[in-house]
């Protein structure tokens, strides 16, 4: 089980680092030019940057505390936080009529919950 949770944690961390850094590095206008980022139009630039920062912090929290043994409780907490980000994303996509994106949000949410449950159990 430990190998599985490390694999899932690593994949999630990589995805959230890429997504978060994209939101932090690009302007809102540049994000809006991408069809899958149309949701950004519903948020201020600061809110989009905030979402990106949360994703980067969550990605780091998925791996670093457990890997180093320093405050390992932060790993399952980060996983729960990222699950909540996906719940918010799903709600946003549903509200915008972008239902085709919701299954991706639900899979990412389920994977984050898996990491949280296993890591809480290993504390």
């Amino acid at each position: 089980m430990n190998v599985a949770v490390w694999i899932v944690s690593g994949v999630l961390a990589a995805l959230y680092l890429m997504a978060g850094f994209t939101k932090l590095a690009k302007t809102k206008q540049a994000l809006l030019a991408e069809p899958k980022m149309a949701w950004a139009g519903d948020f201020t630039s600061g809110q989009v940057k905030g979402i990106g920062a949360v994703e980067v912090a969550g990605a780091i929290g998925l791996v670093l505390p457990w890997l180093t043994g320093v405050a390992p409780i932060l790993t399952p907490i980060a996983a729960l936080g990222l699950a909540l980000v996906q719940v918010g994303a799903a709600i946003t996509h549903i509200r915008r009529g972008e239902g085709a994106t919701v299954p991706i949000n639900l899979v990412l949410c389920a994977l984050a919950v898996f990491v949280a449950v296993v890591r809480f159990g290993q504390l």
Side-chain angles (χ1 to χ4, degrees), residues 36-85:
K36 292 186 178 183
M37 298 297 285
W39 61 266
D42 292 355
F43 297 90
T44 67
S45 293
Q47 289 170 324
V48 173
K49 299 289 184 205
I51 292 167
V54 166
E55 289 174 339
V56 170
I60 293 167
L62 279 176
V63 176
L64 198 58
W66 201 268
L67 183 65
T68 63
V70 177
I73 186 70
L74 294 177
T75 292
I77 291 171
L80 286 179
L82 290 172
L84 290 174
V85 167

mmCIF file of all heavy atoms in Angstrom, residues 36-85:
data_model
loop_
_atom_site.group_PDB
_atom_site.id
_atom_site.type_symbol
_atom_site.label_atom_id
_atom_site.label_comp_id
_atom_site.label_asym_id
_atom_site.label_seq_id
_atom_site.Cartn_x
_atom_site.Cartn_y
_atom_site.Cartn_z
ATOM 1 N N LYS A 36 -9.545 25.425 -22.198
ATOM 2 C CA LYS A 36 -9.854 24.718 -20.950
ATOM 3 C C LYS A 36 -9.733 25.617 -19.720
ATOM 4 O O LYS A 36 -10.026 25.191 -18.610
ATOM 5 C CB LYS A 36 -8.959 23.492 -20.790
ATOM 6 C CG LYS A 36 -9.263 22.410 -21.803
ATOM 7 C CD LYS A 36 -8.478 21.169 -21.550
ATOM 8 C CE LYS A 36 -8.853 20.108 -22.570
ATOM 9 N NZ LYS A 36 -8.175 18.858 -22.323
ATOM 10 N N MET A 37 -9.296 26.839 -19.910
ATOM 11 C CA MET A 37 -9.123 27.757 -18.793
ATOM 12 C C MET A 37 -10.157 28.879 -18.806
ATOM 13 O O MET A 37 -10.002 29.881 -18.127
ATOM 14 C CB MET A 37 -7.711 28.351 -18.811
ATOM 15 C CG MET A 37 -6.601 27.330 -18.658
ATOM 16 S SD MET A 37 -6.653 26.479 -17.077
ATOM 17 C CE MET A 37 -6.045 27.755 -16.013
ATOM 18 N N ALA A 38 -11.238 28.695 -19.560
ATOM 19 C CA ALA A 38 -12.270 29.731 -19.656
ATOM 20 C C ALA A 38 -12.875 30.069 -18.298
ATOM 21 O O ALA A 38 -13.329 31.187 -18.071
ATOM 22 C CB ALA A 38 -13.367 29.289 -20.629
ATOM 23 N N TRP A 39 -12.840 29.124 -17.374
ATOM 24 C CA TRP A 39 -13.375 29.349 -16.027
ATOM 25 C C TRP A 39 -12.698 30.527 -15.343
ATOM 26 O O TRP A 39 -13.291 31.162 -14.463
ATOM 27 C CB TRP A 39 -13.214 28.094 -15.162
ATOM 28 C CG TRP A 39 -11.784 27.690 -14.972
ATOM 29 C CD1 TRP A 39 -11.071 26.798 -15.705
ATOM 30 C CD2 TRP A 39 -10.869 28.203 -13.995
ATOM 31 N NE1 TRP A 39 -9.780 26.719 -15.267
ATOM 32 C CE2 TRP A 39 -9.631 27.573 -14.205
ATOM 33 C CE3 TRP A 39 -10.993 29.135 -12.972
ATOM 34 C CZ2 TRP A 39 -8.516 27.843 -13.418
ATOM 35 C CZ3 TRP A 39 -9.879 29.407 -12.188
ATOM 36 C CH2 TRP A 39 -8.655 28.759 -12.422
ATOM 37 N N ALA A 40 -11.464 30.821 -15.714
ATOM 38 C CA ALA A 40 -10.721 31.909 -15.070
ATOM 39 C C ALA A 40 -11.427 33.255 -15.247
ATOM 40 O O ALA A 40 -11.219 34.173 -14.460
ATOM 41 C CB ALA A 40 -9.294 31.979 -15.609
ATOM 42 N N GLY A 41 -12.294 33.351 -16.247
ATOM 43 C CA GLY A 41 -13.043 34.574 -16.458
ATOM 44 C C GLY A 41 -14.008 34.893 -15.331
ATOM 45 O O GLY A 41 -14.425 36.037 -15.173
ATOM 46 N N ASP A 42 -14.355 33.886 -14.540
ATOM 47 C CA ASP A 42 -15.267 34.085 -13.411
ATOM 48 C C ASP A 42 -14.553 34.575 -12.151
ATOM 49 O O ASP A 42 -15.195 34.819 -11.140
ATOM 50 C CB ASP A 42 -15.984 32.774 -13.063
ATOM 51 C CG ASP A 42 -16.957 32.334 -14.139
ATOM 52 O OD1 ASP A 42 -17.160 33.084 -15.114
ATOM 53 O OD2 ASP A 42 -17.513 31.235 -14.011
ATOM 54 N N PHE A 43 -13.229 34.678 -12.213
ATOM 55 C CA PHE A 43 -12.435 35.023 -11.033
ATOM 56 C C PHE A 43 -11.529 36.208 -11.333
ATOM 57 O O PHE A 43 -11.169 36.451 -12.482
ATOM 58 C CB PHE A 43 -11.573 33.820 -10.609
ATOM 59 C CG PHE A 43 -12.379 32.621 -10.201
ATOM 60 C CD1 PHE A 43 -12.762 31.669 -11.126
ATOM 61 C CD2 PHE A 43 -12.774 32.455 -8.879
ATOM 62 C CE1 PHE A 43 -13.516 30.565 -10.761
ATOM 63 C CE2 PHE A 43 -13.536 31.362 -8.504
ATOM 64 C CZ PHE A 43 -13.911 30.407 -9.449
ATOM 65 N N THR A 44 -11.139 36.918 -10.283
ATOM 66 C CA THR A 44 -10.178 38.005 -10.451
ATOM 67 C C THR A 44 -8.789 37.407 -10.673
ATOM 68 O O THR A 44 -8.557 36.221 -10.384
ATOM 69 C CB THR A 44 -10.137 38.912 -9.207
ATOM 70 O OG1 THR A 44 -9.591 38.166 -8.107
ATOM 71 C CG2 THR A 44 -11.518 39.453 -8.853
ATOM 72 N N SER A 45 -7.885 38.250 -11.148
ATOM 73 C CA SER A 45 -6.504 37.786 -11.334
ATOM 74 C C SER A 45 -5.920 37.295 -10.015
ATOM 75 O O SER A 45 -5.222 36.277 -9.976
ATOM 76 C CB SER A 45 -5.632 38.910 -11.899
ATOM 77 O OG SER A 45 -6.038 39.229 -13.197
ATOM 78 N N GLY A 46 -6.205 38.007 -8.937
ATOM 79 C CA GLY A 46 -5.700 37.612 -7.621
ATOM 80 C C GLY A 46 -6.247 36.267 -7.175
ATOM 81 O O GLY A 46 -5.522 35.471 -6.573
ATOM 82 N N GLN A 47 -7.501 36.026 -7.462
ATOM 83 C CA GLN A 47 -8.089 34.738 -7.094
ATOM 84 C C GLN A 47 -7.455 33.593 -7.881
ATOM 85 O O GLN A 47 -7.179 32.530 -7.336
ATOM 86 C CB GLN A 47 -9.606 34.759 -7.310
ATOM 87 C CG GLN A 47 -10.332 35.629 -6.308
ATOM 88 C CD GLN A 47 -11.786 35.842 -6.676
ATOM 89 O OE1 GLN A 47 -12.143 35.957 -7.853
ATOM 90 N NE2 GLN A 47 -12.637 35.915 -5.660
ATOM 91 N N VAL A 48 -7.203 33.813 -9.170
ATOM 92 C CA VAL A 48 -6.557 32.785 -9.995
ATOM 93 C C VAL A 48 -5.151 32.520 -9.466
ATOM 94 O O VAL A 48 -4.736 31.361 -9.346
ATOM 95 C CB VAL A 48 -6.541 33.198 -11.483
ATOM 96 C CG1 VAL A 48 -5.730 32.215 -12.306
ATOM 97 C CG2 VAL A 48 -7.961 33.310 -12.018
ATOM 98 N N LYS A 49 -4.420 33.572 -9.138
ATOM 99 C CA LYS A 49 -3.070 33.399 -8.571
ATOM 100 C C LYS A 49 -3.154 32.674 -7.226
ATOM 101 O O LYS A 49 -2.312 31.827 -6.914
ATOM 102 C CB LYS A 49 -2.367 34.748 -8.390
ATOM 103 C CG LYS A 49 -2.151 35.525 -9.660
ATOM 104 C CD LYS A 49 -1.103 34.914 -10.532
ATOM 105 C CE LYS A 49 -0.874 35.813 -11.744
ATOM 106 N NZ LYS A 49 -0.342 35.082 -12.885
ATOM 107 N N GLY A 50 -4.170 32.994 -6.434
ATOM 108 C CA GLY A 50 -4.357 32.316 -5.157
ATOM 109 C C GLY A 50 -4.610 30.832 -5.331
ATOM 110 O O GLY A 50 -4.067 30.002 -4.587
ATOM 111 N N ILE A 51 -5.432 30.473 -6.315
ATOM 112 C CA ILE A 51 -5.685 29.060 -6.598
ATOM 113 C C ILE A 51 -4.382 28.381 -7.002
ATOM 114 O O ILE A 51 -4.078 27.271 -6.550
ATOM 115 C CB ILE A 51 -6.762 28.914 -7.697
ATOM 116 C CG1 ILE A 51 -8.120 29.392 -7.178
ATOM 117 C CG2 ILE A 51 -6.850 27.461 -8.173
ATOM 118 C CD1 ILE A 51 -9.170 29.590 -8.261
ATOM 119 N N GLY A 52 -3.599 29.051 -7.825
ATOM 120 C CA GLY A 52 -2.306 28.495 -8.228
ATOM 121 C C GLY A 52 -1.380 28.290 -7.044
ATOM 122 O O GLY A 52 -0.702 27.262 -6.934
ATOM 123 N N ALA A 53 -1.346 29.256 -6.138
ATOM 124 C CA ALA A 53 -0.491 29.144 -4.949
ATOM 125 C C ALA A 53 -0.943 27.990 -4.057
ATOM 126 O O ALA A 53 -0.109 27.247 -3.512
ATOM 127 C CB ALA A 53 -0.499 30.453 -4.170
ATOM 128 N N VAL A 54 -2.252 27.826 -3.911
ATOM 129 C CA VAL A 54 -2.781 26.711 -3.114
ATOM 130 C C VAL A 54 -2.390 25.385 -3.743
ATOM 131 O O VAL A 54 -2.009 24.438 -3.048
ATOM 132 C CB VAL A 54 -4.312 26.840 -2.957
ATOM 133 C CG1 VAL A 54 -4.932 25.550 -2.442
ATOM 134 C CG2 VAL A 54 -4.652 28.000 -2.034
ATOM 135 N N GLU A 55 -2.462 25.303 -5.072
ATOM 136 C CA GLU A 55 -2.087 24.063 -5.752
ATOM 137 C C GLU A 55 -0.606 23.741 -5.571
ATOM 138 O O GLU A 55 -0.242 22.585 -5.319
ATOM 139 C CB GLU A 55 -2.441 24.155 -7.241
ATOM 140 C CG GLU A 55 -3.932 24.121 -7.494
ATOM 141 C CD GLU A 55 -4.330 24.342 -8.934
ATOM 142 O OE1 GLU A 55 -3.520 24.905 -9.712
ATOM 143 O OE2 GLU A 55 -5.453 23.958 -9.281
ATOM 144 N N VAL A 56 0.245 24.746 -5.674
ATOM 145 C CA VAL A 56 1.685 24.518 -5.478
ATOM 146 C C VAL A 56 1.966 24.110 -4.034
ATOM 147 O O VAL A 56 2.700 23.141 -3.780
ATOM 148 C CB VAL A 56 2.502 25.765 -5.875
ATOM 149 C CG1 VAL A 56 3.958 25.635 -5.442
ATOM 150 C CG2 VAL A 56 2.415 26.001 -7.385
ATOM 151 N N ALA A 57 1.382 24.812 -3.079
ATOM 152 C CA ALA A 57 1.584 24.468 -1.670
ATOM 153 C C ALA A 57 1.064 23.058 -1.373
ATOM 154 O O ALA A 57 1.709 22.284 -0.655
ATOM 155 C CB ALA A 57 0.883 25.487 -0.770
ATOM 156 N N GLY A 58 -0.087 22.714 -1.941
ATOM 157 C CA GLY A 58 -0.639 21.376 -1.745
ATOM 158 C C GLY A 58 0.255 20.306 -2.333
ATOM 159 O O GLY A 58 0.450 19.239 -1.735
ATOM 160 N N ALA A 59 0.812 20.571 -3.508
ATOM 161 C CA ALA A 59 1.718 19.607 -4.147
ATOM 162 C C ALA A 59 2.949 19.361 -3.285
ATOM 163 O O ALA A 59 3.368 18.209 -3.083
ATOM 164 C CB ALA A 59 2.130 20.117 -5.524
ATOM 165 N N ILE A 60 3.508 20.423 -2.756
ATOM 166 C CA ILE A 60 4.670 20.282 -1.871
ATOM 167 C C ILE A 60 4.270 19.539 -0.608
ATOM 168 O O ILE A 60 4.987 18.649 -0.141
ATOM 169 C CB ILE A 60 5.264 21.674 -1.547
ATOM 170 C CG1 ILE A 60 5.858 22.292 -2.822
ATOM 171 C CG2 ILE A 60 6.311 21.579 -0.436
ATOM 172 C CD1 ILE A 60 6.184 23.766 -2.704
ATOM 173 N N GLY A 61 3.095 19.868 -0.067
ATOM 174 C CA GLY A 61 2.619 19.227 1.150
ATOM 175 C C GLY A 61 2.309 17.753 0.983
ATOM 176 O O GLY A 61 2.355 16.989 1.949
ATOM 177 N N LEU A 62 1.993 17.324 -0.224
ATOM 178 C CA LEU A 62 1.727 15.904 -0.464
ATOM 179 C C LEU A 62 2.969 15.046 -0.269
ATOM 180 O O LEU A 62 2.868 13.880 0.098
ATOM 181 C CB LEU A 62 1.222 15.685 -1.895
ATOM 182 C CG LEU A 62 -0.231 15.952 -2.180
ATOM 183 C CD1 LEU A 62 -0.508 15.762 -3.675
ATOM 184 C CD2 LEU A 62 -1.138 15.058 -1.363
ATOM 185 N N VAL A 63 4.125 15.627 -0.531
ATOM 186 C CA VAL A 63 5.353 14.825 -0.568
ATOM 187 C C VAL A 63 6.340 15.175 0.542
ATOM 188 O O VAL A 63 6.811 14.298 1.276
ATOM 189 C CB VAL A 63 6.036 14.983 -1.950
ATOM 190 C CG1 VAL A 63 7.358 14.244 -1.998
ATOM 191 C CG2 VAL A 63 5.112 14.499 -3.057
ATOM 192 N N LEU A 64 6.667 16.443 0.662
ATOM 193 C CA LEU A 64 7.789 16.856 1.510
ATOM 194 C C LEU A 64 7.654 16.502 2.991
ATOM 195 O O LEU A 64 8.599 15.930 3.563
ATOM 196 C CB LEU A 64 8.053 18.352 1.326
ATOM 197 C CG LEU A 64 9.410 18.857 1.780
ATOM 198 C CD1 LEU A 64 10.531 18.137 1.059
ATOM 199 C CD2 LEU A 64 9.501 20.353 1.535
ATOM 200 N N PRO A 65 6.542 16.779 3.647
ATOM 201 C CA PRO A 65 6.478 16.448 5.076
ATOM 202 C C PRO A 65 6.629 14.944 5.350
ATOM 203 O O PRO A 65 7.329 14.546 6.279
ATOM 204 C CB PRO A 65 5.096 16.942 5.509
ATOM 205 C CG PRO A 65 4.730 17.973 4.505
ATOM 206 C CD PRO A 65 5.341 17.510 3.224
ATOM 207 N N TRP A 66 5.991 14.128 4.532
ATOM 208 C CA TRP A 66 6.069 12.673 4.750
ATOM 209 C C TRP A 66 7.465 12.162 4.424
ATOM 210 O O TRP A 66 8.007 11.316 5.130
ATOM 211 C CB TRP A 66 5.021 11.946 3.903
ATOM 212 C CG TRP A 66 4.727 10.590 4.450
ATOM 213 C CD1 TRP A 66 5.334 9.407 4.103
ATOM 214 C CD2 TRP A 66 3.799 10.261 5.475
ATOM 215 N NE1 TRP A 66 4.818 8.378 4.846
ATOM 216 C CE2 TRP A 66 3.861 8.880 5.690
ATOM 217 C CE3 TRP A 66 2.892 11.023 6.224
ATOM 218 C CZ2 TRP A 66 3.078 8.225 6.630
ATOM 219 C CZ3 TRP A 66 2.103 10.377 7.146
ATOM 220 C CH2 TRP A 66 2.203 8.993 7.351
ATOM 221 N N LEU A 67 8.053 12.696 3.374
ATOM 222 C CA LEU A 67 9.384 12.267 2.954
ATOM 223 C C LEU A 67 10.440 12.602 3.997
ATOM 224 O O LEU A 67 11.310 11.786 4.293
ATOM 225 C CB LEU A 67 9.746 12.923 1.617
ATOM 226 C CG LEU A 67 11.082 12.526 0.989
ATOM 227 C CD1 LEU A 67 11.075 11.050 0.602
ATOM 228 C CD2 LEU A 67 11.349 13.386 -0.233
ATOM 229 N N THR A 68 10.349 13.797 4.581
ATOM 230 C CA THR A 68 11.357 14.238 5.538
ATOM 231 C C THR A 68 11.065 13.802 6.965
ATOM 232 O O THR A 68 11.955 13.823 7.815
ATOM 233 C CB THR A 68 11.481 15.773 5.530
ATOM 234 O OG1 THR A 68 10.235 16.339 5.951
ATOM 235 C CG2 THR A 68 11.878 16.282 4.156
ATOM 236 N N GLY A 69 9.813 13.461 7.233
ATOM 237 C CA GLY A 69 9.433 13.123 8.601
ATOM 238 C C GLY A 69 9.207 14.341 9.471
ATOM 239 O O GLY A 69 8.964 14.224 10.669
ATOM 240 N N VAL A 70 9.290 15.532 8.878
ATOM 241 C CA VAL A 70 9.053 16.770 9.605
ATOM 242 C C VAL A 70 7.580 17.145 9.449
ATOM 243 O O VAL A 70 7.116 17.406 8.338
ATOM 244 C CB VAL A 70 9.955 17.912 9.079
ATOM 245 C CG1 VAL A 70 9.639 19.214 9.792
ATOM 246 C CG2 VAL A 70 11.416 17.540 9.235
ATOM 247 N N ALA A 71 6.846 17.123 10.530
ATOM 248 C CA ALA A 71 5.412 17.429 10.544
ATOM 249 C C ALA A 71 4.639 16.589 9.518
ATOM 250 O O ALA A 71 3.928 17.144 8.673
ATOM 251 C CB ALA A 71 5.178 18.916 10.331
ATOM 252 N N PRO A 72 4.742 15.262 9.573
ATOM 253 C CA PRO A 72 4.073 14.415 8.579
ATOM 254 C C PRO A 72 2.547 14.552 8.572
ATOM 255 O O PRO A 72 1.912 14.188 7.576
ATOM 256 C CB PRO A 72 4.506 12.996 8.949
ATOM 257 C CG PRO A 72 4.965 13.068 10.357
ATOM 258 C CD PRO A 72 5.493 14.466 10.555
ATOM 259 N N ILE A 73 1.968 15.088 9.622
ATOM 260 C CA ILE A 73 0.521 15.318 9.642
ATOM 261 C C ILE A 73 0.097 16.260 8.508
ATOM 262 O O ILE A 73 -1.057 16.231 8.056
ATOM 263 C CB ILE A 73 0.071 15.885 11.019
ATOM 264 C CG1 ILE A 73 -1.455 15.990 11.112
ATOM 265 C CG2 ILE A 73 0.677 17.258 11.269
ATOM 266 C CD1 ILE A 73 -2.160 14.701 11.194
ATOM 267 N N LEU A 74 1.039 17.077 8.022
ATOM 268 C CA LEU A 74 0.716 18.018 6.952
ATOM 269 C C LEU A 74 0.415 17.324 5.623
ATOM 270 O O LEU A 74 -0.297 17.876 4.787
ATOM 271 C CB LEU A 74 1.848 19.025 6.776
ATOM 272 C CG LEU A 74 2.076 19.964 7.957
ATOM 273 C CD1 LEU A 74 3.266 20.870 7.688
ATOM 274 C CD2 LEU A 74 0.831 20.767 8.256
ATOM 275 N N THR A 75 0.937 16.107 5.433
ATOM 276 C CA THR A 75 0.688 15.409 4.168
ATOM 277 C C THR A 75 -0.788 15.057 3.984
ATOM 278 O O THR A 75 -1.380 15.410 2.962
ATOM 279 C CB THR A 75 1.606 14.180 4.036
ATOM 280 O OG1 THR A 75 2.948 14.647 3.891
ATOM 281 C CG2 THR A 75 1.233 13.329 2.831
ATOM 282 N N PRO A 76 -1.436 14.374 4.931
ATOM 283 C CA PRO A 76 -2.861 14.107 4.711
ATOM 284 C C PRO A 76 -3.718 15.375 4.743
ATOM 285 O O PRO A 76 -4.752 15.442 4.061
ATOM 286 C CB PRO A 76 -3.233 13.143 5.842
ATOM 287 C CG PRO A 76 -2.183 13.309 6.876
ATOM 288 C CD PRO A 76 -0.940 13.710 6.136
ATOM 289 N N ILE A 77 -3.278 16.383 5.482
ATOM 290 C CA ILE A 77 -4.016 17.652 5.495
ATOM 291 C C ILE A 77 -3.928 18.312 4.114
ATOM 292 O O ILE A 77 -4.923 18.825 3.591
ATOM 293 C CB ILE A 77 -3.508 18.580 6.615
ATOM 294 C CG1 ILE A 77 -3.892 17.986 7.975
ATOM 295 C CG2 ILE A 77 -4.039 19.994 6.442
ATOM 296 C CD1 ILE A 77 -3.264 18.693 9.157
ATOM 297 N N ALA A 78 -2.740 18.281 3.512
ATOM 298 C CA ALA A 78 -2.574 18.829 2.158
ATOM 299 C C ALA A 78 -3.443 18.059 1.162
ATOM 300 O O ALA A 78 -4.063 18.657 0.275
ATOM 301 C CB ALA A 78 -1.112 18.771 1.731
ATOM 302 N N ALA A 79 -3.491 16.745 1.322
ATOM 303 C CA ALA A 79 -4.317 15.928 0.421
ATOM 304 C C ALA A 79 -5.793 16.307 0.544
ATOM 305 O O ALA A 79 -6.495 16.433 -0.467
ATOM 306 C CB ALA A 79 -4.108 14.452 0.717
ATOM 307 N N LEU A 80 -6.255 16.508 1.765
ATOM 308 C CA LEU A 80 -7.653 16.934 1.954
ATOM 309 C C LEU A 80 -7.889 18.318 1.358
ATOM 310 O O LEU A 80 -8.945 18.572 0.765
ATOM 311 C CB LEU A 80 -8.020 16.927 3.434
ATOM 312 C CG LEU A 80 -8.219 15.558 4.077
ATOM 313 C CD1 LEU A 80 -8.554 15.711 5.554
ATOM 314 C CD2 LEU A 80 -9.302 14.770 3.365
ATOM 315 N N GLY A 81 -6.925 19.191 1.510
ATOM 316 C CA GLY A 81 -7.051 20.527 0.922
ATOM 317 C C GLY A 81 -7.166 20.468 -0.600
ATOM 318 O O GLY A 81 -7.988 21.168 -1.193
ATOM 319 N N LEU A 82 -6.368 19.609 -1.218
ATOM 320 C CA LEU A 82 -6.446 19.475 -2.669
ATOM 321 C C LEU A 82 -7.752 18.817 -3.101
ATOM 322 O O LEU A 82 -8.303 19.144 -4.161
ATOM 323 C CB LEU A 82 -5.238 18.693 -3.193
ATOM 324 C CG LEU A 82 -3.911 19.457 -3.093
ATOM 325 C CD1 LEU A 82 -2.743 18.554 -3.448
ATOM 326 C CD2 LEU A 82 -3.927 20.702 -3.964
ATOM 327 N N ALA A 83 -8.274 17.918 -2.278
ATOM 328 C CA ALA A 83 -9.592 17.334 -2.573
ATOM 329 C C ALA A 83 -10.654 18.437 -2.570
ATOM 330 O O ALA A 83 -11.531 18.472 -3.442
ATOM 331 C CB ALA A 83 -9.931 16.241 -1.564
ATOM 332 N N LEU A 84 -10.548 19.348 -1.613
ATOM 333 C CA LEU A 84 -11.500 20.457 -1.553
ATOM 334 C C LEU A 84 -11.356 21.396 -2.755
ATOM 335 O O LEU A 84 -12.349 21.937 -3.249
ATOM 336 C CB LEU A 84 -11.344 21.235 -0.250
ATOM 337 C CG LEU A 84 -11.797 20.501 1.006
ATOM 338 C CD1 LEU A 84 -11.458 21.310 2.257
ATOM 339 C CD2 LEU A 84 -13.281 20.196 0.944
ATOM 340 N N VAL A 85 -10.126 21.581 -3.219
ATOM 341 C CA VAL A 85 -9.913 22.380 -4.427
ATOM 342 C C VAL A 85 -10.675 21.750 -5.592
ATOM 343 O O VAL A 85 -11.320 22.450 -6.386
ATOM 344 C CB VAL A 85 -8.401 22.498 -4.754
ATOM 345 C CG1 VAL A 85 -8.179 23.038 -6.160
ATOM 346 C CG2 VAL A 85 -7.699 23.371 -3.728
#
